[in-house]
Amino acid sequence: MPIDPVAQFQQWYARARRTSLRLPDAMALATADKRGGPSVRMVLLKHADAAGFVFFTDGHSHEGRDLAANPRAALAFHWPPIGRQVRVEGPVEPVSATEADAYWASRPRASRIAACASDQSARLTSREALLSRWQRIRERYRGRPIPRPPAWSGYRVVPDAIEFWTHRPHRLHERERFTRSRTGWRRELLQP
């Protein structure tokens, strides 16, 4: 049977979703700017399959600028209730406009208004200015569809490495790393 670390991820993710975790889809996203300066923040996983791990953000955000300059990223999931972590590394590609539009349409209306009101990661003069802009946009689109801002889209991390970590007593944790090759995935065990 061929090795399929994405299927293993989906099993672990499904198990994490059955726990008491408030946001099992939360993942740390690490990027680097064109000089290699690292940055990390939490984002939400929206889809994972053989093509990759998808999240959405504004292309003008800090992460969007990093990914434009250096299209590689690392992800980390941490699920304490089940004693597991997953790391994903690989190149990043934009999702299609069709995928971005479909996800945009599924978001709560107030979240779409917020995405239009916020110039993500830009300097903010005051919270009141942001709230005022949110109200103006809400009024402008009352009873009408809210168009997706051109810079707001999704990204897909195409894994070339996936590591699974399982908690074990005495810090003798299990680590299993899969690395993509031309012929499929190669599996290796790592010391804790």
Side-chain angles (χ1 to χ4, degrees):
M1 176 197 281
I3 296 171
D4 187 353
V6 175
Q8 181 172 327
F9 171 83
Q10 289 170 330
Q11 290 171 358
W12 283 26
Y13 179 53
R15 183 167 175 209
R17 291 180 63 151
R18 292 189 301 268
T19 70
S20 61
L21 275 173
R22 184 170 170 267
L23 291 171
D25 50 347
M27 58 187 186
L29 166 67
T31 59
D33 62 23
K34 65 183 174 187
R35 292 183 302 251
S39 182
V40 67
R41 83 284 292 142
M42 300 301 291
V43 297
L44 299 177
L45 174 70
K46 292 302 173 184
H47 183 74
D49 61 18
F53 295 72
V54 175
F55 65 94
F56 290 85
T57 191
D58 189 308
H60 295 149
S61 66
H62 189 116
E63 60 269 24
R65 292 190 310 268
D66 280 358
L67 292 170
N70 184 358
R72 286 193 61 82
L75 308 172
F77 297 86
H78 184 217
W79 301 310
I82 62 172
R84 291 186 171 165
Q85 296 182 51
V86 178
R87 294 178 51 216
V88 178
E89 300 168 0
V92 178
E93 61 187 30
V95 302
S96 70
T98 302
E99 288 174 276
D101 287 342
Y103 178 66
W104 176 260
S106 76
R107 297 184 83 204
R109 188 172 179 83
S111 295
R112 285 180 272 160
I113 294 168
C116 292
S118 173
D119 186 10
Q120 191 175 342
S121 299
R123 188 176 302 253
L124 180 63
T125 57
S126 71
R127 177 119 181 112
E128 292 74 25
L130 175 64
L131 295 175
S132 175
R133 183 164 179 192
W134 187 88
Q135 286 287 2
R136 285 193 310 273
I137 292 170
R138 186 175 79 160
E139 289 303 316
R140 183 185 322 152
Y141 292 107
R142 185 177 301 279
R144 297 185 309 151
I146 303 166
R148 177 175 63 86
W152 192 95
S153 192
Y155 295 89
R156 177 177 286 106
V157 178
V158 180
D160 54 24
I162 302 176
E163 181 183 321
F164 297 91
W165 179 98
T166 303
H167 178 268
R168 293 293 183 239
H170 315 297
R171 301 196 59 79
L172 295 172
H173 311 305
E174 292 178 24
R175 291 177 63 195
E176 184 179 29
R177 183 174 172 87
F178 295 87
T179 308
R180 191 188 301 266
S181 70
R182 288 191 311 263
T183 58
W185 290 96
R186 184 174 48 91
R187 177 183 176 266
E188 62 186 342
L189 298 179
L190 302 176
Q191 303 252 1

PDB file of all heavy atoms in Angstrom, residues 113 117 124 126-138:
ATOM      1  N   ILE A 113     -17.483  42.028   5.462  1.00  0.00           N
ATOM      2  CA  ILE A 113     -17.411  43.484   5.637  1.00  0.00           C
ATOM      3  C   ILE A 113     -16.095  43.855   6.314  1.00  0.00           C
ATOM      4  O   ILE A 113     -15.423  44.810   5.908  1.00  0.00           O
ATOM      5  CB  ILE A 113     -18.623  43.995   6.447  1.00  0.00           C
ATOM      6  CG1 ILE A 113     -19.919  43.780   5.652  1.00  0.00           C
ATOM      7  CG2 ILE A 113     -18.449  45.474   6.811  1.00  0.00           C
ATOM      8  CD1 ILE A 113     -21.190  43.990   6.456  1.00  0.00           C
ATOM      9  N   ALA A 117     -13.143  46.363   5.111  1.00  0.00           N
ATOM     10  CA  ALA A 117     -12.844  47.549   5.913  1.00  0.00           C
ATOM     11  C   ALA A 117     -11.386  47.614   6.348  1.00  0.00           C
ATOM     12  O   ALA A 117     -10.858  48.696   6.590  1.00  0.00           O
ATOM     13  CB  ALA A 117     -13.741  47.579   7.148  1.00  0.00           C
ATOM     14  N   LEU A 124      -2.808  51.647  11.738  1.00  0.00           N
ATOM     15  CA  LEU A 124      -4.182  52.077  12.033  1.00  0.00           C
ATOM     16  C   LEU A 124      -4.122  53.351  12.867  1.00  0.00           C
ATOM     17  O   LEU A 124      -3.448  53.380  13.905  1.00  0.00           O
ATOM     18  CB  LEU A 124      -4.913  50.969  12.804  1.00  0.00           C
ATOM     19  CG  LEU A 124      -6.348  51.215  13.217  1.00  0.00           C
ATOM     20  CD1 LEU A 124      -7.242  51.392  11.994  1.00  0.00           C
ATOM     21  CD2 LEU A 124      -6.849  50.055  14.068  1.00  0.00           C
ATOM     22  N   SER A 126      -6.725  54.803  14.442  1.00  0.00           N
ATOM     23  CA  SER A 126      -7.496  54.578  15.673  1.00  0.00           C
ATOM     24  C   SER A 126      -8.499  53.455  15.438  1.00  0.00           C
ATOM     25  O   SER A 126      -8.894  53.198  14.297  1.00  0.00           O
ATOM     26  CB  SER A 126      -8.254  55.843  16.094  1.00  0.00           C
ATOM     27  OG  SER A 126      -9.332  56.094  15.202  1.00  0.00           O
ATOM     28  N   ARG A 127      -8.895  52.811  16.492  1.00  0.00           N
ATOM     29  CA  ARG A 127      -9.905  51.757  16.398  1.00  0.00           C
ATOM     30  C   ARG A 127     -11.224  52.347  15.904  1.00  0.00           C
ATOM     31  O   ARG A 127     -11.940  51.718  15.134  1.00  0.00           O
ATOM     32  CB  ARG A 127     -10.079  51.095  17.771  1.00  0.00           C
ATOM     33  CG  ARG A 127     -11.138  50.044  17.797  1.00  0.00           C
ATOM     34  CD  ARG A 127     -10.573  48.704  18.153  1.00  0.00           C
ATOM     35  NE  ARG A 127     -11.624  47.710  18.149  1.00  0.00           N
ATOM     36  CZ  ARG A 127     -11.700  46.738  17.256  1.00  0.00           C
ATOM     37  NH1 ARG A 127     -10.771  46.606  16.343  1.00  0.00           N
ATOM     38  NH2 ARG A 127     -12.681  45.873  17.298  1.00  0.00           N
ATOM     39  N   GLU A 128     -11.526  53.571  16.331  1.00  0.00           N
ATOM     40  CA  GLU A 128     -12.759  54.234  15.916  1.00  0.00           C
ATOM     41  C   GLU A 128     -12.802  54.413  14.393  1.00  0.00           C
ATOM     42  O   GLU A 128     -13.852  54.272  13.774  1.00  0.00           O
ATOM     43  CB  GLU A 128     -12.914  55.595  16.619  1.00  0.00           C
ATOM     44  CG  GLU A 128     -13.158  55.492  18.117  1.00  0.00           C
ATOM     45  CD  GLU A 128     -11.911  55.095  18.916  1.00  0.00           C
ATOM     46  OE1 GLU A 128     -10.757  55.333  18.460  1.00  0.00           O
ATOM     47  OE2 GLU A 128     -12.081  54.516  20.001  1.00  0.00           O
ATOM     48  N   ALA A 129     -11.659  54.718  13.794  1.00  0.00           N
ATOM     49  CA  ALA A 129     -11.609  54.882  12.334  1.00  0.00           C
ATOM     50  C   ALA A 129     -11.943  53.563  11.632  1.00  0.00           C
ATOM     51  O   ALA A 129     -12.673  53.548  10.630  1.00  0.00           O
ATOM     52  CB  ALA A 129     -10.232  55.379  11.907  1.00  0.00           C
ATOM     53  N   LEU A 130     -11.427  52.459  12.165  1.00  0.00           N
ATOM     54  CA  LEU A 130     -11.731  51.147  11.578  1.00  0.00           C
ATOM     55  C   LEU A 130     -13.217  50.825  11.720  1.00  0.00           C
ATOM     56  O   LEU A 130     -13.863  50.393  10.759  1.00  0.00           O
ATOM     57  CB  LEU A 130     -10.887  50.059  12.252  1.00  0.00           C
ATOM     58  CG  LEU A 130     -11.178  48.621  11.816  1.00  0.00           C
ATOM     59  CD1 LEU A 130     -10.841  48.418  10.335  1.00  0.00           C
ATOM     60  CD2 LEU A 130     -10.398  47.640  12.681  1.00  0.00           C
ATOM     61  N   LEU A 131     -13.776  51.051  12.899  1.00  0.00           N
ATOM     62  CA  LEU A 131     -15.193  50.754  13.124  1.00  0.00           C
ATOM     63  C   LEU A 131     -16.091  51.631  12.250  1.00  0.00           C
ATOM     64  O   LEU A 131     -17.109  51.175  11.738  1.00  0.00           O
ATOM     65  CB  LEU A 131     -15.542  50.906  14.602  1.00  0.00           C
ATOM     66  CG  LEU A 131     -14.849  49.916  15.538  1.00  0.00           C
ATOM     67  CD1 LEU A 131     -15.164  50.225  16.993  1.00  0.00           C
ATOM     68  CD2 LEU A 131     -15.209  48.485  15.194  1.00  0.00           C
ATOM     69  N   SER A 132     -15.686  52.884  12.069  1.00  0.00           N
ATOM     70  CA  SER A 132     -16.450  53.787  11.208  1.00  0.00           C
ATOM     71  C   SER A 132     -16.428  53.294   9.762  1.00  0.00           C
ATOM     72  O   SER A 132     -17.460  53.306   9.077  1.00  0.00           O
ATOM     73  CB  SER A 132     -15.860  55.199  11.310  1.00  0.00           C
ATOM     74  OG  SER A 132     -16.506  56.059  10.410  1.00  0.00           O
ATOM     75  N   ARG A 133     -15.264  52.860   9.316  1.00  0.00           N
ATOM     76  CA  ARG A 133     -15.167  52.341   7.943  1.00  0.00           C
ATOM     77  C   ARG A 133     -16.017  51.073   7.797  1.00  0.00           C
ATOM     78  O   ARG A 133     -16.684  50.873   6.783  1.00  0.00           O
ATOM     79  CB  ARG A 133     -13.710  52.053   7.598  1.00  0.00           C
ATOM     80  CG  ARG A 133     -13.565  51.599   6.174  1.00  0.00           C
ATOM     81  CD  ARG A 133     -12.163  51.662   5.684  1.00  0.00           C
ATOM     82  NE  ARG A 133     -12.177  51.176   4.312  1.00  0.00           N
ATOM     83  CZ  ARG A 133     -11.136  50.875   3.621  1.00  0.00           C
ATOM     84  NH1 ARG A 133      -9.945  51.034   4.134  1.00  0.00           N
ATOM     85  NH2 ARG A 133     -11.248  50.417   2.398  1.00  0.00           N
ATOM     86  N   TRP A 134     -15.992  50.198   8.801  1.00  0.00           N
ATOM     87  CA  TRP A 134     -16.806  48.979   8.784  1.00  0.00           C
ATOM     88  C   TRP A 134     -18.282  49.353   8.633  1.00  0.00           C
ATOM     89  O   TRP A 134     -19.003  48.756   7.829  1.00  0.00           O
ATOM     90  CB  TRP A 134     -16.560  48.174  10.062  1.00  0.00           C
ATOM     91  CG  TRP A 134     -17.205  46.835  10.076  1.00  0.00           C
ATOM     92  CD1 TRP A 134     -16.684  45.667   9.610  1.00  0.00           C
ATOM     93  CD2 TRP A 134     -18.509  46.500  10.589  1.00  0.00           C
ATOM     94  NE1 TRP A 134     -17.582  44.636   9.793  1.00  0.00           N
ATOM     95  CE2 TRP A 134     -18.709  45.123  10.394  1.00  0.00           C
ATOM     96  CE3 TRP A 134     -19.524  47.247  11.191  1.00  0.00           C
ATOM     97  CZ2 TRP A 134     -19.872  44.470  10.783  1.00  0.00           C
ATOM     98  CZ3 TRP A 134     -20.689  46.599  11.573  1.00  0.00           C
ATOM     99  CH2 TRP A 134     -20.850  45.223  11.367  1.00  0.00           C
ATOM    100  N   GLN A 135     -18.748  50.349   9.411  1.00  0.00           N
ATOM    101  CA  GLN A 135     -20.156  50.786   9.343  1.00  0.00           C
ATOM    102  C   GLN A 135     -20.499  51.335   7.957  1.00  0.00           C
ATOM    103  O   GLN A 135     -21.567  51.038   7.412  1.00  0.00           O
ATOM    104  CB  GLN A 135     -20.433  51.872  10.402  1.00  0.00           C
ATOM    105  CG  GLN A 135     -20.521  51.354  11.808  1.00  0.00           C
ATOM    106  CD  GLN A 135     -21.816  50.579  12.057  1.00  0.00           C
ATOM    107  OE1 GLN A 135     -22.654  50.386  11.183  1.00  0.00           O
ATOM    108  NE2 GLN A 135     -21.975  50.113  13.282  1.00  0.00           N
ATOM    109  N   ARG A 136     -19.600  52.149   7.388  1.00  0.00           N
ATOM    110  CA  ARG A 136     -19.861  52.717   6.048  1.00  0.00           C
ATOM    111  C   ARG A 136     -19.983  51.614   5.008  1.00  0.00           C
ATOM    112  O   ARG A 136     -20.866  51.656   4.140  1.00  0.00           O
ATOM    113  CB  ARG A 136     -18.753  53.702   5.660  1.00  0.00           C
ATOM    114  CG  ARG A 136     -18.834  55.030   6.384  1.00  0.00           C
ATOM    115  CD  ARG A 136     -17.939  56.093   5.756  1.00  0.00           C
ATOM    116  NE  ARG A 136     -16.565  55.667   5.522  1.00  0.00           N
ATOM    117  CZ  ARG A 136     -15.570  55.746   6.415  1.00  0.00           C
ATOM    118  NH1 ARG A 136     -15.823  56.221   7.628  1.00  0.00           N
ATOM    119  NH2 ARG A 136     -14.352  55.351   6.106  1.00  0.00           N
ATOM    120  N   ILE A 137     -19.110  50.631   5.060  1.00  0.00           N
ATOM    121  CA  ILE A 137     -19.168  49.529   4.096  1.00  0.00           C
ATOM    122  C   ILE A 137     -20.425  48.699   4.309  1.00  0.00           C
ATOM    123  O   ILE A 137     -21.079  48.288   3.349  1.00  0.00           O
ATOM    124  CB  ILE A 137     -17.880  48.675   4.173  1.00  0.00           C
ATOM    125  CG1 ILE A 137     -16.710  49.510   3.655  1.00  0.00           C
ATOM    126  CG2 ILE A 137     -18.023  47.381   3.391  1.00  0.00           C
ATOM    127  CD1 ILE A 137     -15.360  48.903   3.887  1.00  0.00           C
ATOM    128  N   ARG A 138     -20.790  48.492   5.553  1.00  0.00           N
ATOM    129  CA  ARG A 138     -22.025  47.745   5.845  1.00  0.00           C
ATOM    130  C   ARG A 138     -23.232  48.454   5.235  1.00  0.00           C
ATOM    131  O   ARG A 138     -24.102  47.827   4.631  1.00  0.00           O
ATOM    132  CB  ARG A 138     -22.192  47.578   7.362  1.00  0.00           C
ATOM    133  CG  ARG A 138     -23.374  46.678   7.713  1.00  0.00           C
ATOM    134  CD  ARG A 138     -23.450  46.441   9.160  1.00  0.00           C
ATOM    135  NE  ARG A 138     -24.055  47.617   9.786  1.00  0.00           N
ATOM    136  CZ  ARG A 138     -24.620  47.625  10.975  1.00  0.00           C
ATOM    137  NH1 ARG A 138     -24.625  46.527  11.710  1.00  0.00           N
ATOM    138  NH2 ARG A 138     -25.158  48.703  11.468  1.00  0.00           N
TER     139      ARG A 138
END
